[in-house]
Amino acid sequence: YRHLLYKKIVQPVGLNNIDEYNLLFYIDLNKVTTKKEYVQQAILEPTTAFEMIKRLVKKGYIEELDHPEDKRSKRMTLTPQGRAAVQ
């Protein structure tokens, strides 16, 4: 029931579920974070989190940035569209 209720709340801003909102909220709180940091904090499987991140990047809510110290790692930040969804 809770998932159905949250879905009705987040759908108007273009999100599929509460997990997508939680990811955007986490990035908003931390301003810039890595995928690895998010996966460590989230109660999601890494593959699920990475697919969700990829989907939100494609939709324009998240922007991926190069990590200054680790070329293999990407940092995430919100786009203006992502910030508006959190608000």
Side-chain angles (χ1 to χ4, degrees):
Y1 177 75
R2 187 182 70 170
H3 281 285
L4 293 173
L5 177 64
Y6 287 144
K7 193 169 191 165
K8 287 184 181 226
I9 294 169
V10 298
Q11 275 184 336
V13 294
L15 301 175
N16 293 326
N17 54 51
I18 195 66
D19 293 327
E20 290 183 353
Y21 177 81
N22 288 339
L23 169 59
L24 297 180
F25 187 73
Y26 180 83
I27 296 171
D28 190 45
L29 285 176
N30 293 284
K31 303 306 175 208
V32 177
T33 187
T34 66
K35 294 177 185 179
K36 183 178 179 180
E37 290 168 343
Y38 176 70
V39 168
Q40 290 172 342
Q41 295 296 317
I43 306 172
L44 297 172
E45 290 292 324
T47 52
T48 302
F50 294 146
E51 285 299 316
M52 183 173 54
I53 292 165
K54 188 186 304 183
R55 189 170 52 247
L56 291 173
V57 167
K58 194 174 191 176
K59 285 183 166 183
Y61 291 92
I62 298 172
E63 181 180 1
E64 290 185 310
L65 310 167
D66 290 332
H67 195 289
E69 291 111 29
D70 185 355
K71 299 294 182 201
R72 299 169 296 157
S73 182
K74 293 281 188 185
R75 298 180 307 154
M76 302 180 293
T77 190
L78 293 180
T79 64
Q81 181 180 351
R83 233 174 265 105
V86 170
Q87 299 303 320

